[in-house]
Amino acid sequence: MHRVIKNHFDNFVKNYNLNSGESKNFEAFSAYCIAKHYTFDAINPDTLIYEGDEPGIDSAFFICDEAIITSNDEIISLFDKKKNNHDIVCVLIQSKTSESWNKKEINTFESAVLDFISENSEHSYNDELIERKDIFNTIIKNVGKIKHGRPRIQCYFVNTANEAADKEILSAQRTLKNRLDETGLFYAADATLIGREELLGLWIKSQGAYETTFEIIGSASFPKSAGIEESYVVTVSAKEFTTKVLTDENGSLRKSIFEENVRDFIPFDGSEINTEIGNTIQDASRSQRFGIMNNGLTIISPDVRLQSNEIYISNYQIVNGCQTSNVLFENGNVLNDKITIMAKIIETDDQDIVDDIVRSTNRQNKIEDHQFLATLDSVKSVERYFIARGGDEEHRLYFERRPNQYGRDDIPSIRIFDLKELARCTGAMFLDKPDVASRYPNQLVEELQGTVFDPKNKEEIFYTAAYCNYRLKLLHSNNRIDKAINRLKWYSLMAIRYRVCGENPSNVTSSKVEKDCEAIIDIISKNDDACIALCNDIARRFAELGAVDRDRLRTTRFVSEVRDDMCR
């Protein structure tokens, strides 16, 4: 492995406390870098790879509307909803640590990919790849509910060599792409060779760093105020704005810049307003008045620099204007310098100010409270509790209420929990929902305000669930506990609660639950015999429940079986 990549790779392994060996960890590293290209969500690398051997595919995952899908139940749940325009990308990866290209290895990857997408696979798959194969089959059966009538597929062959230039290697790449096109299964198909420079670029981008400079037509500044160093209202060419601010180097919409926007883009067939915006842009007689007719956008950045007719922003978020931005991008081919857009650009990194701006700018559009999840008082209380609770290094965890909140800090990723991960931990451990946490993580997020982040719930349960998850990861990576604990990790969290607190644990809204949490942390925080014995006892009880296949794992009956067994 090239030493420049090796340095970043070593930091990645340390951050996530991985111990599966260099080859397996590199597979996780490659998959993580690629996955972050498609989603701004926090990602656990362990979910992207599998234990045991694979038939030429190291990682397989699916992106549905910017969320990673690794469960067939979850993709079925999404298709059961009324939405019929899901944007789906199938991602298949093969990774090698070598510093040279090998045509035979690429051909083996091609064979594995074609077998994976075929109706009748000849290869033997492990349980994880069987799950991914089921997801793919479900996607193909529901093409009528997918954008463009078919999914996209991206196949990546990764190593640490220089950019591929050999004719044989490039021919193998083209052959794979052509074979994918010939299947007729995909709206768009691509086969990409990722070498050292490309992988390094993906890694850097995965850390959340991005910036841009664009020309402006005119500007006016606002007076300075507490927490806001600079702020301007600017007029800019819509074409310049779309090219420099909205579009990434691959020509795709930079979707991560809308993470602070409380409402996602509403497709044209579901929004008369967005259709009207698009019609205005395409109407030559009206398009020049677009900047006057449109309410404009609001952009927040921790670093804003205005010099002459150019403005620089980095790590920016469009907190109001997601709809307008998406329509501009979709109509990029008809934009010209006479079409303008107005934007407020605010420099601040104060999260309370960001919250105020998000709420005030979006209130004009009748956004409901449940869409402001990260700004809810109950969620802020959990964040404050995590800060107060982490008084010493051993117990210090970080609740990332805002996406990439700790991205620029030197904090091990294993200690950071975003909204989705925290909801899964808490829902599994204290609300008896390990099946939902495992099968429907995105569905659980939809239920956050009314269930997991109910204001009546005690803050201690969130920290306790996260801390147990963190400790189990450490114990597993150090090979101190049975692998079943990790394989059934969401059920393990629920099991720990019942083994420590008995068959009638305290209600999550009662002050008595704090004593339960204290008892759980007291045991799980120690590396002594009692902690290991607890985990091994749970693993033994799992074994006594008999074979746990995928179908059994997904039933509410199995949740009851685990709960009853842990209470006896």
Side-chain angles (χ1 to χ4, degrees):
M1 188 188 306
H2 191 274
R3 63 179 183 175
V4 172
I5 293 293
K6 184 71 162 59
N7 290 337
H8 292 292
F9 168 73
D10 288 344
N11 289 331
F12 169 80
V13 171
K14 180 181 178 181
N15 279 344
Y16 284 98
N17 208 56
L18 305 178
N19 75 334
S20 298
E22 182 175 270
S23 177
K24 209 70 179 175
N25 289 342
F26 185 72
E27 293 173 9
F29 176 72
S30 302
Y32 176 87
C33 291
I34 291 170
K36 290 296 287 184
H37 177 69
Y38 292 96
T39 180
F40 204 57
D41 286 349
I43 298 172
N44 180 356
D46 285 338
T47 64
L48 301 177
I49 58 174
Y50 347 97
E51 295 182 4
D53 296 329
E54 324 83 11
I57 298 174
D58 295 327
S59 179
F61 56 86
F62 305 85
I63 305 294
C64 180
D65 302 327
E66 301 173 55
I68 288 185
I69 303 295
T70 56
S71 159
N72 193 39
D73 287 310
E74 184 161 27
I75 197 70
I76 290 173
S77 174
L78 289 172
F79 284 139
D80 284 342
K81 296 181 179 179
K82 292 182 179 181
K83 182 177 179 181
N84 290 322
N85 197 33
H86 295 286
D87 185 17
I88 295 182
V89 186
C90 311
V91 181
L92 303 176
I93 306 169
Q94 173 75 309
S95 304
K96 301 291 182 182
T97 59
S98 60
E99 295 184 49
S100 60
W101 297 100
N102 186 306
K103 184 175 183 293
K104 184 177 179 181
E105 290 177 340
I106 299 175
N107 290 340
T108 299
F109 180 48
E110 175 191 327
S111 175
V113 169
L114 294 175
D115 184 79
F116 181 86
I117 65 176
S118 67
E119 283 190 78
N120 301 305
S121 299
E122 296 182 0
H123 291 169
S124 297
Y125 294 118
N126 55 41
D127 286 343
E128 288 86 353
L129 266 179
I130 290 175
E131 177 85 13
R132 305 307 195 272
K133 173 75 173 173
D134 289 345
I135 296 173
F136 179 76
N137 291 337
T138 299
I139 289 171
I140 297 301
K141 290 177 182 177
N142 289 273
V143 290
K145 299 182 179 181
I146 298 175
K147 187 176 182 180
H148 304 300
R150 288 175 292 177
R152 292 179 284 148
I153 188 170
Q154 293 282 342
C155 297
Y156 296 92
F157 187 92
V158 184
N159 66 13
T160 63
N162 287 322
E163 181 180 357
D166 186 87
K167 290 183 179 179
E168 282 194 347
I169 300 300
L170 296 178
S171 175
Q173 175 192 16
R174 288 193 298 271
T175 299
L176 173 54
K177 181 188 184 315
N178 291 339
R179 295 291 297 276
L180 291 171
D181 285 332
E182 289 169 1
T183 67
L185 295 172
F186 309 104
Y187 167 72
D190 203 1
T192 303
L193 303 179
I194 296 182
R196 178 168 64 248
E197 294 303 320
E198 293 87 352
L199 184 58
L200 182 60
L202 286 172
W203 167 252
I204 292 172
K205 290 169 194 169
S206 75
Q207 303 308 292
Y210 50 90
E211 59 185 8
T212 189
T213 300
F214 58 97
E215 293 184 5
I216 58 176
I217 298 171
S219 67
S221 61
F222 292 98
K224 285 188 177 181
S225 59
I228 299 179
E229 289 299 315
E230 298 183 60
S231 55
Y232 307 94
V233 57
V234 303
T235 303
V236 60
S237 155
K239 182 177 180 180
E240 172 83 355
F241 182 82
T242 301
T243 302
K244 298 290 183 65
V245 179
L246 302 180
T247 309
D248 66 18
E249 64 284 348
N250 298 315
S252 301
L253 180 65
R254 196 188 297 274
K255 295 181 179 180
S256 62
I257 63 178
F258 303 109
E259 286 298 320
E260 298 282 9
N261 200 293
V262 299
R263 183 166 56 187
D264 200 356
F265 176 57
I266 304 173
F268 294 106
D269 58 3
S271 171
E272 293 182 7
I273 295 177
N274 289 342
T275 300
E276 178 61 25
I277 294 174
N279 291 340
T280 300
I281 293 173
Q282 295 175 26
D283 186 337
S285 64
R286 302 171 64 211
S287 62
Q288 294 184 35
R289 299 195 296 271
F290 179 79
I292 298 173
M293 299 165 64
N294 189 272
N295 289 331
L297 312 98
T298 303
I299 303 172
I300 293 177
S301 168
D303 189 5
V304 177
R305 306 174 202 171
L306 176 64
Q307 186 172 10
S308 185
N309 67 330
E310 288 189 336
I311 193 164
Y312 165 90
I313 54 178
S314 67
N315 297 325
Y316 51 93
Q317 284 286 305
I318 295 179
V319 300
N320 183 256
C322 175
Q323 310 303 315
T324 296
S325 296
N326 275 267
V327 176
L328 287 173
F329 181 82
E330 292 291 335
N331 289 276
N333 61 319
V334 299
L335 295 178
N336 58 62
D337 291 333
K338 293 183 179 180
I339 303 175
T340 61
I341 187 71
M342 179 184 68
K344 285 190 290 185
I345 301 178
I346 303 163
E347 178 181 328
T348 184
D349 56 7
D350 187 315
Q351 288 298 327
D352 288 334
I353 293 177
V354 172
D355 291 345
D356 286 343
I357 294 172
V358 169
R359 280 186 170 276
S360 62
T361 55
N362 283 283
R363 279 299 181 201
Q364 303 164 24
N365 297 321
K366 298 182 180 179
I367 304 297
E368 301 297 330
D369 276 344
H370 71 270
Q371 295 175 284
F372 293 99
L373 186 60
T375 67
L376 293 176
D377 289 340
S378 59
V379 178
K380 290 181 181 179
S381 295
V382 173
E383 180 185 33
R384 288 192 292 268
Y385 186 86
F386 268 65
I387 294 172
R389 190 66 173 77
D392 59 272
E393 184 63 26
E394 170 60 27
H395 293 87
R396 188 170 299 137
L397 299 177
Y398 301 84
F399 172 35
E400 193 171 61
R401 182 170 60 89
R402 292 285 185 181
N404 208 37
Q405 187 172 338
Y406 296 106
R408 287 170 285 174
D409 300 325
D410 187 20
I411 299 171
S413 299
I414 193 175
R415 292 180 179 268
I416 300 175
F417 292 79
D418 68 354
L419 274 167
K420 183 183 292 186
E421 188 75 359
L422 188 60
R424 296 176 81 179
C425 292
T426 308
M429 188 170 208
F430 287 95
L431 300 177
D432 290 359
K433 291 188 176 183
D435 55 329
V436 179
S438 176
R439 298 160 56 198
Y440 306 111
N442 295 303
Q443 177 178 316
L444 188 59
V445 171
E446 294 176 5
E447 301 172 0
L448 290 182
Q449 183 178 357
T451 57
V452 181
F453 284 105
D454 188 317
K456 297 177 182 178
N457 294 344
K458 297 297 181 182
E459 290 91 346
E460 179 70 10
I461 68 171
F462 300 98
Y463 175 84
T464 301
Y467 186 76
C468 283
N469 181 278
Y470 162 71
R471 287 289 300 155
L472 290 181
K473 286 181 182 178
L474 287 181
L475 292 170
H476 177 259
S477 66
N478 294 328
N479 295 318
R480 300 204 59 199
I481 58 177
D482 192 290
K483 288 185 177 180
I485 297 295
N486 183 62
R487 186 169 63 88
L488 302 172
K489 63 180 179 180
W490 305 113
Y491 289 87
S492 297
L493 290 174
M494 183 182 75
I496 289 173
R497 184 189 183 206
Y498 282 103
R499 290 304 298 146
V500 174
C501 305
E503 62 180 337
N504 294 307
S506 301
N507 190 283
V508 293
T509 63
S510 168
S511 59
K512 294 180 181 179
V513 77
E514 295 174 1
K515 290 186 178 180
D516 286 356
C517 292
E518 183 180 342
I520 292 170
I521 291 177
D522 183 58
I523 292 178
I524 207 69
S525 65
K526 298 174 181 176
N527 288 315
D528 60 8
D529 293 341
C531 174
I532 303 303
L534 171 66
C535 294
N536 288 338
D537 175 62
I538 291 172
R540 177 184 61 78
R541 290 167 181 264
F542 281 151
E544 290 176 350
L545 290 172
V548 183
D549 58 20
R550 293 182 301 146
D551 292 334
R552 187 181 180 196
L553 187 65
R554 295 166 180 174
T555 63
T556 54
R557 180 178 178 181
F558 184 66
V559 175
S560 299
E561 289 177 357
V562 171
R563 182 171 54 236
D564 293 343
D565 191 73
M566 296 302 159
C567 293
R568 62 176 173 80

